[in-house]
Amino acid sequence: MLFRWFAFLFIMLPAVLLGQNLTINGKIVNKESSRGVAGASVFLSNSSFGTTSSSDGTFTLSRLRPGQYTLVVTAIGYAVYNKIIMVNADVADLTITMEPRAIMLREVTISGSSRANWNRNYEMFKKDFIGNDENAKQCVVINPKVLDFTYRKSKQTLIASADEFLIVENKALGYRVKFLLNSFSLDNLEQRLTYQGSRLFEELPGSAAQKKKWLLKRDRAYYGSAMHFLRSLYQNKLKEEGFEMRKLTRESDPSRPSAAVIQQKMQQFNGVSRDSFQYYHDFYISPRYIHQKISTVPWLSFEVLRDGPQPGLYAITFPQYLYVIYKNREETEAFKDIYRPLDMPNYEVSVLTLFNDPPYALFDSNGIVVGESPLFEGAWSKARLSELLPVDYTPSAPLN
């Protein structure tokens, strides 16, 4: 099932400029003993930059580009450490103090019904966290049992969490993704997915032929993505890169019942009253919005782009909704809530909604949102882990 609503609510704070190599080095110490912590995992969230601390707790992250990152440190027996760090020059002698934490033994469940429920919840989680596209078919979860689930039947909501890395090998794109999943919530009534966490991308080993295929698929995932759009926006290259922005106006249908009521009534009348079931099913398959219209003149970059609070950060701002067309690819899915003028070709379309007051979202030169993300509908709402790329990714080949 494809979701109309897809909010990325996790902080993604990566590098911002290309072509420079900088270094972070420091030492990880135990808060209580001041001794070095060996074997800690040190990485920059959502990037491919990661390492492990040495026997005395020291570490080095190299070949970095300037910008703002979230530095994450994890070690067995310690609380996870997170720190926002700005890298404008080499960062030397950074001291990270880790707080010891009691190791909690995981509960072992052996009942058949509990095992069946876990399997059902896992399949639901896997489809909506990893995806159900062609790439997802080549994704392998290495350690699924680190996941804990709670399913609230009355609200049709799945909650998931993990107390250690969830490791997924994406054999379509050639990455091993290590994900610290802080929170995950799947609302089937509102058709909304939100999650929060940090992740590290590692290259999978492969032959020269495999790596060539991975590069092609990575480029395919990149072009037309939200990352590609935001990079094109701040570089004022929207048209050259195949994008077009329009203003979208629309209103919620006041006659439409809530999603919960529609689901409840469909279940109530299914097999009991055909007419009543059809009445609510018509609402289910109909758009949420009425009076939809897009502007006739495209917006230019300067109309929605502003300088951010510090160098390397930008703000995007617009009234109501931003309608983004990607002309280099046709849409293969039908989104009933995405308005399409009858005379518009079947291009990929995404709709952005802002939440801050006044409405804005911050992003960096890598095209990654910093802080609260816009709400994505349409093409970008399909993106799952199966198509995600590290923040430091650059395409291997120019756009044709």
Side-chain angles (χ1 to χ4, degrees), residues 320-337:
Q320 297 182 313
Y321 307 97
L322 184 65
Y323 192 90
V324 180
I325 305 168
Y326 184 58
K327 296 185 175 182
N328 292 334
R329 186 177 300 149
E330 289 192 350
E331 182 55 76
T332 58
E333 305 291 340
F335 297 95
K336 67 183 180 66
D337 287 326

Side-chain angles (χ1 to χ4, degrees), residues 205-275:
S207 65
Q210 284 178 314
K211 291 180 178 180
K212 185 177 180 179
K213 290 181 180 179
W214 289 340
L215 289 177
L216 292 175
K217 288 192 174 184
R218 291 174 187 180
D219 285 355
R220 165 78 182 183
Y222 170 76
Y223 285 117
S225 67
M227 178 192 292
H228 181 203
F229 166 73
L230 291 174
R231 290 181 181 181
S232 303
L233 177 65
Y234 94 87
Q235 294 174 352
N236 195 26
K237 293 183 177 180
L238 289 176
K239 186 175 181 180
E240 297 94 315
E241 296 295 317
F243 291 104
E244 185 174 286
M245 299 184 299
R246 303 284 184 107
K247 177 183 178 180
L248 169 67
T249 56
R250 62 186 182 182
E251 300 174 15
S252 296
D253 185 351
S255 67
R256 181 187 178 88
S258 69
V261 169
I262 293 174
Q263 290 283 350
Q264 178 188 359
K265 294 298 184 180
M266 287 175 59
Q267 292 177 6
Q268 177 183 346
F269 294 118
N270 187 22
V272 177
S273 173
R274 180 177 180 180
D275 290 342

Side-chain angles (χ1 to χ4, degrees), residues 44 49 55 62 65 110 113 124 133 228 259 273 298 317 391 396:
L44 302 179
F49 302 120
S55 58
S62 57
R65 293 186 284 271
I110 60 175
S113 60
M124 193 185 311
D133 60 353
H228 181 203
S273 173
T317 180
V391 300
S396 62

Side-chain angles (χ1 to χ4, degrees), residues 4 250-257 262 281-292 335-339:
R4 298 183 298 271
R250 62 186 182 182
E251 300 174 15
S252 296
D253 185 351
S255 67
R256 181 187 178 88
I262 293 174
H281 184 264
D282 288 344
F283 279 121
Y284 178 77
I285 63 176
S286 66
R288 296 175 180 231
Y289 304 102
I290 58 175
H291 303 150
Q292 300 194 73
F335 297 95
K336 67 183 180 66
D337 287 326
I338 298 299
Y339 170 70

Side-chain angles (χ1 to χ4, degrees), residues 142-159:
I142 303 301
N143 56 343
K145 293 301 182 180
V146 304
L147 292 163
D148 289 317
F149 298 110
T150 300
Y151 183 70
R152 298 170 181 169
K153 185 176 181 180
S154 61
K155 296 184 177 181
Q156 297 189 34
T157 300
L158 178 67
I159 308 296

Side-chain angles (χ1 to χ4, degrees), residues 24 44 79 95 97 102 110 137 170 175 198 207 212 294 321 339:
I24 300 174
L44 302 179
T95 300
T97 303
I110 60 175
K137 295 177 182 178
N170 186 340
Y175 290 119
S198 304
S207 65
K212 185 177 180 179
I294 62 172
Y321 307 97
Y339 170 70

